[in-house]
Amino acid sequence: MARNWEEFFVEKILLIAAVSSVVIILAIIGFVVGQGYTALGTIGIINFVFGLIWNPDYGLYGIFPLIIGTLSVVAVSLLFAVPLSILGAMFLAEVAPRTMRRILRPTIQTLAGVPSVIYGFFGLIVLVPFMRTHFGGSGFSILTASLILTVMVLPTILSISEDALRSIPVEYKEASLGLGATHWQTIKNVIFPAAIPGVITGVILGMGRAIGETMAVLMVAGNVPLIPTSILSPVRTLTANIALEMGEATGLHYNALFATGIVLLVIIVILLLIVNWVNYRQRVTIGGGYL
Amino acid sequence: MNRIIPPKHANSIMNVIFWGVGILAIAILVLVIGYLLYVGLPQVNLTFLFTDPIDNGAAGGIWPSIVSTFYITIVALVVAAPLGVLAAVYLAEYSGENTFVKTIRFATETLASVPSIVFGLFGLAFFVVYLQMGFCILAGGLTLALMAIPTILRTSEVAIETVPQSYKEGSMALGSSKWQTVIRVVIPAAIGGITTGIILGMARAVEETAAILYTVGATTTVPVSLFDGGDPLPLHLYTLATEGISLPNAYGTAAVLVILILVITFSTNYLVERYTKKMMGR
Amino acid sequence: MENIMQVKDLKTYFDDTNVLKDVNIDIPKNEVTSIIGPSGTGKSVFLRTLNRMNDVISTFRKEGTILLDGEDIYDPKIDAVDIRKRVGMVFQKPNPFPKSIFENVAYGMRVHGVYKKAQLQEVVERSLKGAALWDEVKDNLDKSAMSLSGGQQQRLCIARTIAVEPEVILMDEPCSALDPISTTKIEDLIHNLKNKYTIVIVTHNMQQATRVSKYTAFFLNGTIVEKGLTDKIFIEPEDKRTEDYITGRFG
Ligand SMILES: Nc1ncnc2c1ncn2[C@@H]1O[C@H](COP(=O)(O)OP(=O)(O)OP(=O)(O)O)[C@@H](O)[C@H]1O
Ligand SMILES: [Mg+2]
C-alpha cells in the first residue's frame, strides 16, 4: 500500500514539473499582455503598429519604424546566412572528410555558444570602425547588424539543415550516383529537395532567433527609430527599443514597451505555428534551445 | 547552371565553394575569439579578477561581477535543473502522446523561443514589481531559470528516451516499481545527457544579458544576500562598452567571459563524447 | 564469346578488414551472369566494386584490376561518374526518388545534359516499355513514384537505369523484396534485356539463377569457389562446397 502512495505522489510531482512550462508561458503572456494592453487601448492598435513616429517625449508611440528596423536587419542577415548555412550543411553532411568534420562541428557549436554581448562587443570595437572607414557614415547600420546576426543564426540554420540532409536515406544517393550523376548533381537534385522541410524549419528557427536577438543588435545597429533609407542607415529594432528605454520608462511609455513585447510574442508564436505546420520534428541537438 | 557548365566542372567548382564556406566558419570563430583574447588577456591578472571596480569600472577589477555571475547562475540552476529534469522524466516515462502532452511540448517550444528581452520584461513585471523583490540577484536568477528550463528539459528528455527499453524491463522484472526503476536504472543510465542539459542551461544563464538588464539592478558592490543587486559579467561588459567607461576593462571582462564560455562548451563536448563512448560499450 | 569486364586478383578492404580475398572472373558480353553464395561473403561488395559505388565509402580500398572493354575502371585518369554511366545498378530494395514517374526515368538524362522535352519524352517512353511498365503507368506519368507497388517500383528503377543506356547492368537481389508475380515479371524482363545489355545479378534464389542466367559464380568467404556455365554448376558441380550450398546443406 505504502508503495502505491509513493508512486502516486511521485507521479503528481512529476506532473507538476511538466506542467510548469505551460504555467510559465501563460504567466509570461499574462503579465506582458497585462502590462501592455492598456497602452494598446490608449494609443490604438492601428496607431501603435502603423504609427510612423516613436517619440515618447511627445507622446508618440508608433512602432512601424521599429518593425521595419527588425524586418530589414532580419531579411539582410538571412540573405547572407541562408545560403551560407545550406552550403555549410551540405559540406558537413556530404562532402567534408572526417578530419574536417571533427574541426568544423565544434566550431559551429562554439559559434552558437558565444554570448550575444560578446558578438555585440566585437561588432562595436571591430566591425563598426571597419564599416565606418570602408562604407562611410557612422558605421552603425543595417548592414553591420546583419553581418553580426548572420554569424549568430548560422549555427541554428546549419545544424538543423545538416540533420535534415543526413536523414535522407542513403538509397536515394546511391540510386543517383548509380545513374552516373556527379556528387553535386546528386546533392542538388535528390538529397537537398528531399531535405527541404527540414531546411525550412531551420530557416524559420534562425529567423526567430534573429528577430529575438537583442544585445548584439543593440550595440551595432545605431538605434535610430526612423524608417531606414538604405542598407547603411542606422535602425532600431523592436527588441533594442525595449532594452534602450525600459530603464527610464514610466506610465504610458512603460506600458507601450510591454506592448512592443506583445508584438514580439505574436511574431514568435506565428513562426512556431509555421514550424509545426511544416511538421518537421527536430529534436533538440546539443547546443541549445529552439530559437 | 548545369546548362552552361559541364556537370564535372560544376562539381569541382562546388567543392571549392564548400571548402570555402567551411574555412570561412572556422576563420570567423578564430577571428572573434582570437581577437578578443588577444586584446583582453593582457588586461587580466589576479588584481583584475579579485578587486572591486573603481568609479563604476573605469579602473579596478571585476570581482563583484564574478560573484554576481556565480550567484545568479546558482539560483537559476537550483530552480531550473530539478524542474527541467523532473518534467523530462514525466514526458519520457510517464506520459503517452496525447493532446495534453502536445500542449506541454508546444509550451516548452514557445518558451525556448521567447526573445530574451521579453523574459526580461516578465522578470521586471513579475519578480521585481509584482512580487516586490526589487532589482536583485534573486529576481535575475529566477528570470534566467525560466529561460534555462526548456534547454534542460529537452536535452534530458532525449537522454532518457535513449535508455534502452531492455534496461527498464530488466528492472521491472525484478519487481521494482516504476519510480524505483527510474531512480535506480533510467536516471543513472541517462546521467551524461542530463548533465549535458544542465551545463547547457548553465551556459544560457552565464551568457544572458537582455533578460537581466532590468531585473538584477547594476550594483557594483559584491552581493551578499539574494536580495542584493548585482552586476553579472555580461551586463558589466555591456555597461563598460556602451557607456565608454573603460575600454581596457571592457577588453578584460570580454576575455574572462569568453574563457568561461569556452570552458563550459568544451566540458560539455568532453562529457558528451565520454558518455556516448560509455553507452556504446567502449 | 567476348568478355565485357575482366576482374583480376581483386582484393577489397574496409579499413583493415579484408572482404574480397582474391577474385578473378570474366563477365561475358550480352549474357546474364549470376552471383550466388551465402550471406556476408562479399557478393554486394563485389558488385559495388564493379561500378565504383564503393568509392563513396571513405574506408574502402582495393587491390587488383577491373577492366571494362579492356580499360581499367580504377585508372586515376578515369572518373567514377563516367564508369557509373556505363555500368548501371539496380538495388535490392526498390529506391525510386520521391519524384514523379516521369522525373525518375528522365533523371539520368537530365544529369547528363539532355533537356529537350521531346527527347526526354521519347526516351522515357522507350525505357518504360523496355522495363515492361509502360502500359501500367502511361496515363499517370506525373504521379509520384512512391505510389507504385514494390514490383512496379523495381521495374521503374530498371527503366531509370536503361534510360541512361549503360553497357552493363548490375542487379543486387532485385527480387528479394517482391512477390512471386512481380518476380516473374522481372525475370522475363531480364531475358529481354540481355539482347542489349550485359547483366550481373546477385541472387539467393537458386531457381532464379538457373532460370535467368547462362553463367554462374559461387562466392564463399570473399573468393569464387566455382564459376562457369549455370547448367554445369547446378547439375555437376566440381567443388564439394558448391554442391553443399546448392543442395541447401549450408549457407
Ligand atoms: N561499408 C562497409 N564497411 C565495413 N564493412 C562492410 C561494409 N560493407 C560490407 N562490409 C562487410 O563486408 C562483408 C560482405 O558484405 P556483403 O554485403 O558483400 O555480403 P553479401 O554477400 O552481399 O551478403 P547478403 O547475401 O546478406 O547480401 C560483410 O562482412 C560486411 O560486414
Ligand atoms: Mg548483399
Side-chain angles (χ1 to χ4, degrees), chain A residues 98 171-183 185-186 189-190 193-194, chain C residues 48 53 56 59 81 84 91 93 95-99 107 111-112 146 160-161 164:
Chain A
R98 221 186 305 184
E171 282 84 1
Y172 292 162
K173 177 178 173 180
E174 295 195 329
S176 172
L177 293 175
L179 292 167
T182 64
H183 197 177
Q185 287 176 321
T186 303
N189 297 326
V190 177
Chain C
R48 293 164 57 92
M53 204 53 142
V56 176
T59 54
V81 169
R84 296 190 197 122
F91 298 80
K93 269 191 279 162
N95 58 351
F97 302 121
K99 298 172 186 273
Y107 180 87
V111 300
H112 299 137
M146 302 319 231
R160 185 173 69 178
T161 305
V164 182

Side-chain angles (χ1 to χ4, degrees), chain A residues 13-75:
Chain A
I13 289 174
L14 295 178
L15 178 67
I16 291 171
V19 173
S20 67
S21 296
V22 181
V23 175
I24 293 168
I25 193 72
L26 289 180
I28 291 178
I29 294 172
F31 267 85
V32 173
V33 172
Q35 297 291 321
Y37 91 103
T38 47
L40 288 182
T42 317
I43 303 161
I45 292 194
I46 300 291
N47 284 338
F48 182 68
V49 174
F50 294 105
L52 293 180
I53 298 172
W54 175 272
N55 192 339
D57 292 343
Y58 293 87
L60 292 169
Y61 298 100
I63 60 166
F64 195 67
L66 315 179
I67 294 177
I68 298 296
T70 292
L71 287 183
S72 50
V73 168
V74 170

Side-chain angles (χ1 to χ4, degrees), chain A residues 45-273:
Chain A
I45 292 194
I46 300 291
N47 284 338
F48 182 68
V49 174
F50 294 105
L52 293 180
I53 298 172
W54 175 272
N55 192 339
D57 292 343
Y58 293 87
L60 292 169
Y61 298 100
I63 60 166
F64 195 67
L66 315 179
I67 294 177
I68 298 296
T70 292
L71 287 183
S72 50
V73 168
V74 170
V76 177
S77 65
L78 288 183
L79 210 63
F80 297 130
V82 171
L84 279 179
S85 311
I86 292 176
L87 288 169
M90 288 171 170
F91 183 56
L92 265 178
E94 282 292 327
V95 182
R98 221 186 305 184
T99 5
M100 186 62 181
R101 285 205 303 268
R102 284 240 177 94
I103 303 171
L104 201 48
R105 281 249 174 70
T107 302
I108 302 294
Q109 204 184 323
T110 314
L111 279 177
V114 170
S116 23
V117 69
I118 291 289
Y119 279 122
F121 183 58
F122 182 83
L124 189 66
I125 60 174
V126 176
L127 201 55
V128 168
F130 178 87
M131 299 303 275
R132 190 184 301 140
T133 15
H134 291 86
F135 293 90
S138 65
F140 295 93
S141 67
I142 295 178
L143 185 59
T144 315
S146 303
L147 288 174
I148 295 286
L149 270 184
T150 300
V151 179
M152 298 184 72
V153 300
L154 183 120
T156 308
I157 308 179
L158 193 153
S159 24
I160 296 175
S161 306
E162 191 206 338
D163 276 358
L165 290 169
R166 259 179 205 291
S167 69
I168 304 310
V170 66
E171 282 84 1
Y172 292 162
K173 177 178 173 180
E174 295 195 329
S176 172
L177 293 175
L179 292 167
T182 64
H183 197 177
W184 166 239
Q185 287 176 321
T186 303
I187 295 173
K188 181 179 60 142
N189 297 326
V190 177
I191 302 178
F192 180 69
I196 280 179
V199 174
I200 292 178
T201 303
V203 171
I204 296 172
L205 294 177
M207 188 195 279
R209 211 183 153 184
I211 291 171
E213 178 48 42
T214 311
M215 300 316 289
V217 174
L218 178 66
M219 292 166 85
V220 300
N223 301 322
V224 178
L226 293 176
I227 292 179
T229 51
S230 94
I231 197 169
L232 294 175
S233 305
V235 281
R236 184 185 290 192
T237 62
L238 292 165
T239 51
N241 191 44
I242 301 174
L244 277 171
E245 299 189 354
M246 205 62 212
E248 299 97 57
T250 50
L252 184 57
H253 186 190
Y254 180 88
N255 296 119
L257 292 176
F258 275 88
T260 315
I262 300 178
V263 175
L264 282 168
L265 276 178
V266 169
I267 297 175
I268 291 301
V269 170
I270 291 174
L271 289 182
L272 280 178
L273 288 174

Side-chain angles (χ1 to χ4, degrees), chain B residues 242-256:
Chain B
T242 51
E243 295 181 6
I245 297 175
S246 158
L247 212 46
N249 273 11
Y251 288 153
T253 314
V256 172

Side-chain angles (χ1 to χ4, degrees), chain C residues 39-45 92 172-173 202 204:
Chain C
S39 250
T41 50
K43 303 183 297 295
S44 299
V45 170
Q92 179 170 358
D172 194 350
E173 304 183 43
V202 172
H204 277 283

Side-chain angles (χ1 to χ4, degrees), chain B residues 119-130:
Chain B
F119 276 101
L121 284 180
F122 174 72
L124 173 65
F126 185 67
F127 296 121
V128 176
V129 177
Y130 184 77

Side-chain angles (χ1 to χ4, degrees), chain C residues 158-189:
Chain C
I158 294 174
R160 185 173 69 178
T161 305
I162 60 184
V164 182
E165 307 208 319
E167 297 161 50
V168 181
I169 302 178
L170 310 171
M171 299 184 171
D172 194 350
E173 304 183 43
C175 303
S176 68
L178 306 181
D179 61 279
I181 294 173
S182 307
T183 301
T184 312
K185 281 193 181 150
I186 302 231
E187 287 180 10
D188 292 346
L189 181 55

